[in-house]
């Protein structure tokens, strides 16, 4: 396989154990436990405080910082061996510690973020207060220093080394008052869902790779939030949106990235097994991951 190992991070940034923390177990049960790669088990990172911090606007802030440090420190030695892991969430909160570990080893690494949401809400403008609404903005430096500085720098990714693929929550961002990337971070390459319709998915990976090379990125990490898919294709999510990709379109985007020499690893998130009582979405996700990473 393209990857060398599997690591689970059972985190849910609601602080209420709403279900996404069960994703690693569900994928293992669906067949991932039988993959011919090393299973490193789960990182023991927990966010168990559902209260919204008044200063930062983020749910379970102290727990989140501690958990993100645990994730960073667990992944860093794995990445230093040259291993290219598949990290399974959990929600998108896993990306803070995960990418901080990447950047401590590769200070010039890029990030390809594939998601149905921008995840760039300003903390106090987020409707939920969950860091999964805002982790990309934090990686760009627009957040509490305890999180934006996890990599050891003031921010974990530079605008020109970030590619965002698939968002379709433009109206939600505007309604919240949070600026869109074109306003706050114009150097970020955004390939949104309307651009991916028709044949746009065929070109998304080549556009992303061209940007990363132009920015002289030292390899890149891929993160997928499966709500980039339509609800019909992926129903086991907490915050559904109209529109979205199908599995074939997602394959066209991810497979070329995984085959590129600069690929450093991948994280995936937002499967809620409590919304998947027959396990069908977990089984479909496991099959897709196995195929695209084979």
């Amino acid at each position: 396989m393209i990857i060398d190992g599997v690591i689970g991070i059972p985190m849910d940034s609601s602080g209420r154990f709403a279900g996404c923390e069960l994703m690693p177990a569900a994928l293992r049960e669906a067949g991932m436990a039988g993959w011919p790669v090393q299973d490193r088990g789960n990182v023991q990172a927990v966010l168990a405080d559902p209260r919204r911090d008044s200063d930062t606007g983020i749910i379970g802030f102290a727990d989140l910082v501690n958990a993100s440090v645990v994730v960073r420190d667990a992944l860093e030695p794995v990445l230093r061996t040259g291993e290219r892991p598949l990290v399974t969430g959990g929600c998108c909160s896993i990306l803070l510690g995960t990418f901080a570990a990447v950047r401590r080893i590769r200070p010039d690494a890029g990030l390809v973020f594939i998601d149905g949401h921008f995840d760039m809400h300003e903390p106090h403008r987020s409707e939920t207060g969950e860091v999964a609404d805002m982790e990309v903005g934090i990686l760009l430096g627009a957040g509490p220093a305890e999180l934006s500085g996890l990599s050891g720098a003031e921010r974990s990714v530079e605008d020109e080394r970030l590619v965002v693929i698939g968002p379709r929550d433009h109206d939600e961002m505007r309604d919240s008052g949070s600026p869109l990337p074109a306003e706050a971070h114009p150097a970020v390459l955004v390939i949104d869902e309307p651009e991916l319709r028709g044949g746009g998915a065929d070109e998304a990976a080549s556009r992303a790779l061209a940007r990363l090379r132009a920015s002289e990125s030292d390899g890149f990490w891929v993160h997928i939030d499966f709500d980039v898919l339509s609800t019909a294709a992926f129903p086991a999510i907490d915050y559904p949106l109209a529109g979205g990709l199908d599995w074939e379109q997602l394959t066209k985007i991810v497979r070329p990235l995984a085959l590129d020499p600069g690929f450093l690893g991948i994280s995936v998130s937002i499967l809620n097994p409590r919304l998947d009582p027959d396990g069908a979405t977990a089984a479909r996700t496991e099959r897709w991951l196995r195929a695209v990473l084979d």
Side-chain angles (χ1 to χ4, degrees):
M1 300 188 77
I2 295 168
I3 60 162
D4 304 300
V6 174
I7 302 169
I9 305 178
M11 284 176 62
D12 166 36
S13 63
S14 74
R16 294 180 172 86
F17 301 98
C20 284
E21 74 280 359
L22 303 172
M23 181 178 180
L27 290 176
R28 289 185 175 103
E29 184 176 351
M32 189 174 286
W35 286 14
V37 297
Q38 181 176 7
D39 188 339
R40 292 182 172 272
N42 287 347
V43 176
Q44 299 306 308
V46 177
L47 200 162
D49 181 0
R51 297 170 299 174
R52 191 164 186 171
D53 179 67
S54 59
D55 291 333
T56 65
I58 299 173
I59 285 175
F61 179 67
D63 272 8
L64 175 65
V65 172
N66 291 336
S68 298
V69 169
V70 169
V71 170
R72 181 197 67 193
D73 292 350
L75 286 179
E76 184 176 349
V78 174
L79 295 170
R80 284 198 182 279
T81 69
E83 183 173 320
R84 295 177 297 179
L86 165 63
V87 177
T88 65
C91 72
C92 288
S93 62
I94 69 172
L95 186 58
L96 293 173
T98 297
F99 196 65
V102 173
R103 287 299 300 265
R104 281 162 73 110
I105 297 162
R106 304 265 191 139
D108 296 324
L111 173 64
V112 180
F113 181 78
I114 304 170
D115 195 319
H117 300 82
F118 285 102
D119 286 2
M120 293 179 63
H121 285 278
E122 295 176 342
H124 284 286
R125 296 180 185 272
S126 162
E127 182 177 340
T128 69
E130 297 176 20
V131 79
D133 277 356
M134 57 192 84
E135 81 282 355
V136 174
I138 290 170
L139 290 173
L140 288 165
E146 295 94 328
L147 295 174
S148 60
L150 280 167
S151 67
E154 290 185 2
R155 56 193 291 183
S156 288
V157 67
E158 295 76 25
D159 293 21
E160 63 273 13
R161 292 192 173 117
L162 172 63
V163 179
V164 177
I165 300 177
R168 56 188 192 277
D169 65 330
H170 305 68
D171 290 343
E172 289 182 17
M173 289 286 291
R174 294 189 186 98
D175 290 346
S176 77
S178 296
L180 289 165
E183 302 159 354
H185 300 277
V188 173
L189 174 60
V190 176
I191 308 172
D192 63 13
E193 192 247 6
E195 291 186 76
L196 296 173
R197 295 173 189 158
D202 298 325
E203 302 173 359
S206 60
R207 290 178 63 191
L209 291 169
R211 166 57 66 89
L212 293 167
R213 290 169 187 144
S215 65
E216 299 183 346
S217 296
D218 182 16
F220 60 90
W221 187 264
V222 177
H223 177 80
I224 303 172
D225 177 335
F226 281 115
D227 70 16
V228 74
L229 295 164
S230 70
T231 304
F234 196 89
I237 56 171
D238 296 298
Y239 299 109
L241 281 172
L245 307 181
D246 59 34
W247 287 103
E248 182 179 358
Q249 290 172 312
L250 188 58
T251 298
K252 290 178 179 179
I253 296 167
V254 177
R255 179 69 172 170
L257 297 172
L259 290 173
D260 190 84
F263 175 73
L264 300 174
I266 182 169
S267 48
V268 296
S269 63
I270 307 291
L271 166 64
N272 187 340
R274 290 182 180 164
L275 302 177
D276 185 34
D278 62 358
T281 304
R284 181 68 182 89
T285 305
E286 186 273 338
R287 290 196 305 272
W288 181 83
L289 286 166
R290 183 172 49 188
V292 81
L293 298 173
D294 193 10

